[in-house]
Amino acid sequence: MAGILYIVPTPVGNLEDMTFRAIRILKEADLILAEDTRTSGNLLKHFEIKNHLVSHHKFNEHGTSAAIVERLKAGQTIALVSDAGTPGISDPGFYLAREAASAGIKVECLPGATALIPAIVSSGLPCDRFAFEGFLPQKKGRQTKLQSLREESRTMVFYESPYRVLKTLQQFAEVFDEDRQAATCREISKIHEECLRGTLAELVAHFTETAPKGEFVIVVAGK
């Protein structure tokens, strides 16, 4: 029988967010694929998981996925983790999952940690329908992408690094209007977790005075 590819979410902050099932799957897997073996190695050590760890990231996934699929066909159980959150959501994972599914392999994603859901729920903005946009293009295509979202009526969710938060909020204010309601959620599930709510103009003013720190999720109201 063919094996199973498990997509295993890992905590975005607090290690207590790790599920019992995720720990069991990682202990039982024949092989664990990790975006960064050093980061995942620390996580596995914390939970006393001693299984074999192999590097699998966006720079090598096209070259290694075929061999991984063959191992799955041979009956191995393989687990994929990223540095934090659910693999495939702005992280490596989609390509391998697609290749495995195309080869008739069972692909099973465990429910678990991701930054976007806590951010949109705690933002105070409508979360019954939303558009997850992940990271915007840094340069080429950025303005085109922003313009394409001008008429979006759903709440929009973006990931952003602290180095571009202020610039991104300023661009949002220009494209969506500075009075548009928004929220910035940073360091989700960590000690310094913080969610700020207000208009885009108010958030721009705040981060002009206070340098952004940590990993950010920006939530913007739809039109």
Side-chain angles (χ1 to χ4, degrees), residues 99-110:
E99 294 301 294
S102 297
I105 303 297
K106 182 178 181 180
V107 179
E108 193 167 326
C109 182
L110 278 62

Side-chain angles (χ1 to χ4, degrees), residues 88-127:
I89 306 298
S90 293
D91 276 325
F94 159 72
Y95 182 77
L96 177 60
R98 184 186 69 182
E99 294 301 294
S102 297
I105 303 297
K106 182 178 181 180
V107 179
E108 193 167 326
C109 182
L110 278 62
T114 184
L116 72 99
I117 298 301
I120 190 171
V121 173
S122 63
S123 71
L125 297 171
C127 53

